Amino acid sequence: MTEMISPKPGVDRIELYVGGESHLEGRDDVLKLSSNENPLGFPDTAGEALAAAAGALHRYPSSDHASLRNAIAEVHNLDADRIICGAGSDEIIAFLCNAYGGEGTEVIHSAHGFAMHRISALAAGSSPVEVAERDRVVDVDGILNAVTEKTRLVFIANPANPTGTMLGGNEMARLAGSLPEDVILVLDGAYAEYVEGHDGGVALIDQHPNVVMTRTFSKIYGLGGLRIGWGYGAREIIDNLNRVRGPFNVSELQLAAAEAAVRDQDWVAKCRAENATERARLTETLRGLGLAVDKSEANFVLARFASEDDAAACEAHFRNDGILVRKVGSYGLPNCLRITVGTPADNDRVIASVTAFRAAT
Ligand SMILES: *Cc1c(COP(=O)(O)O)cnc(C)c1O
């Protein structure tokens, strides 16, 4: 044995990320509802752009991502100079922590918030500070009370994962307006497109130079396997994120497919509408079976069971029926299961399985 080399402080406190499961031994009919993927996949336009881009892989990709940034800016009516692209929004989250965190700083995240907020804070050497929620909704006063002179970043996913809940516009504005100006508020908008009329908080960003948002092509655009996301904020912050970004962090395949996808807003509207209909059906059915389900604004629902054992038994029942959902004990919700909204046929399978489970218990 060689002598152990220690990583920098914080790294050994990172729990290794466990993704949603995708396989079940000996089954070819697995229904994966554990990672909030779009059951309709990605738009054909993105697939065609990807194939066209594949011919030039001997060339290094664009390092300024201008073509994709311009497309995003056009579609969302934003300033292209204030957009940064990354290998998924996960990479934008890491850039924020690397550029603004570090030893001796604190990063606030919500109790049932997305795992990457905490992981990226620890990787950057910051101390993560967890703030409790109120009935599974982000608590603005709790966050404001947790701010110290060491705080550099506050992460909020809106809508949130794994709860699916959303902070209203007034509360969002109160949080943005009450944080010290030297604390960056990050609005993680991975599910923003699922909310009709929600732009991720652009007005807040324009009003407060310390507010930024992260967005992704992994959810409604159905491109989770491609790894492409983006961020938007004040020019000064985006410039600093670009300083810590590798120049060739995303490939032409990512750039080309994402550009085609963002221009395909008919696809986004179709997916949003279908998700809303099916999410309502799933929510009503689960509630009818006696489970507690908050109103979700995203592409998944969080079912609350009477106990951890009950949730585990239902998860095992789903598994037996070839359905994979997400256990969320690591998110502080051991009596819950997070279920991605699938196609109508997928949801028929979920409903049949959970109905049988309920009848048997
Ligand atoms: C899925 C998800 C993301 C997306 O991460 P990518 O790196 O863009 O795939 C970001 N934030 C939250 C809250 C998510 O649930």
Side-chain angles (χ1 to χ4, degrees):
M1 260 299 271
T2 52
E3 217 174 290
M4 273 295 243
I5 303 170
S6 300
K8 68 182 184 184
V11 170
D12 54 357
R13 287 172 58 200
I14 299 173
E15 303 262 352
L16 291 177
Y17 187 86
V18 182
E21 281 181 289
S22 54
H23 299 289
L24 279 176
E25 194 67 30
R27 282 196 88 121
D28 56 10
D29 63 342
V30 171
L31 173 54
K32 185 187 178 201
L33 299 175
S34 54
S35 297
N36 300 340
E37 294 151 342
N38 185 341
L40 303 179
F42 51 83
D44 289 342
T45 46
E48 288 154 14
L50 185 72
L57 288 182
H58 57 304
R59 303 283 182 207
Y60 268 89
S62 144
S63 62
D64 66 7
H65 314 147
S67 186
L68 175 57
R69 288 189 296 105
N70 287 331
I72 292 169
E74 243 175 70
V75 169
H76 292 286
N77 197 21
L78 301 173
D79 178 356
D81 289 335
R82 294 164 53 195
I83 295 171
I84 180 171
C85 303
S89 51
D90 283 358
E91 196 181 26
I92 310 294
I93 293 168
F95 292 158
L96 282 158
C97 290
N98 290 339
Y100 290 95
E103 227 184 310
T105 68
E106 293 174 352
V107 173
I108 293 177
H109 66 89
S110 203
H112 307 306
F114 185 48
M116 288 313 297
H117 302 159
R118 177 186 165 82
I119 290 173
S120 295
L122 283 166
S126 299
S127 299
V129 175
E130 180 176 305
V131 172
E133 300 186 357
R134 267 196 234 178
D135 296 330
R136 295 162 307 284
V137 178
V138 166
D139 180 1
V140 170
D141 291 307
I143 288 173
L144 293 174
N145 288 333
V147 172
T148 72
E149 71 282 358
K150 292 183 184 162
T151 309
R152 293 292 175 277
L153 293 150
V154 173
F155 283 98
I156 301 288
N158 209 36
N161 171 23
T163 58
T165 61
M166 198 168 170
L167 209 54
N170 290 344
E171 279 294 89
M172 224 52 213
R174 188 162 75 83
L175 178 59
S178 307
L179 282 172
E181 281 169 11
D182 61 352
V183 172
I184 296 177
L185 172 61
V186 184
L187 306 176
D188 179 335
Y191 303 97
E193 294 85 357
Y194 285 104
V195 185
E196 182 82 50
H198 177 56
D199 65 7
V202 173
L204 286 181
I205 295 167
D206 287 341
Q207 206 183 332
H208 304 282
N210 59 326
V211 179
V212 304
M213 72 174 169
T214 61
R215 303 285 291 265
T216 186
F217 286 94
S218 299
K219 301 290 156 60
I220 210 163
Y221 291 101
L223 291 167
L226 192 66
R227 311 309 303 133
I228 180 94
W230 54 283
Y232 188 68
R235 179 68 192 263
E236 187 193 322
I237 294 179
I238 298 302
D239 282 352
N240 283 328
L241 302 189
N242 273 315
R243 290 188 170 98
V244 299
R245 171 177 74 81
F248 306 114
N249 61 322
V250 293
S251 74
E252 285 299 329
L253 301 182
Q254 289 152 296
L255 294 166
E259 181 174 340
V262 78
R263 292 193 187 282
D264 202 338
Q265 290 298 307
D266 289 348
W267 168 263
V268 172
K270 172 188 141 99
C271 294
R272 174 168 49 236
E274 181 150 326
N275 177 69
T277 305
E278 284 300 303
R279 182 180 61 201
R281 181 163 79 100
L282 205 51
T283 302
E284 288 316 310
T285 306
L286 293 170
R287 284 178 182 162
L289 292 169
L291 297 168
V293 186
D294 292 322
K295 183 179 186 307
S296 168
E297 303 290 348
N299 67 337
F300 55 85
V301 297
L302 185 73
R304 303 200 316 275
F305 293 77
S307 66
E308 186 171 348
D309 285 351
D310 200 23
C314 186
E315 198 263 347
H317 185 93
F318 275 139
R319 186 176 286 269
N320 205 43
D321 285 344
I323 302 169
L324 293 171
V325 302
R326 186 64 166 261
K327 287 176 160 173
V328 283
S330 66
Y331 284 90
L333 297 161
N335 64 328
C336 300
L337 296 178
R338 190 192 70 190
I339 308 168
T340 304
V341 176
T343 64
D346 295 342
N347 299 326
D348 286 346
R349 245 178 101 177
V350 169
I351 287 168
S353 181
V354 69
T355 302
F357 170 74
R358 264 296 168 243
T361 50

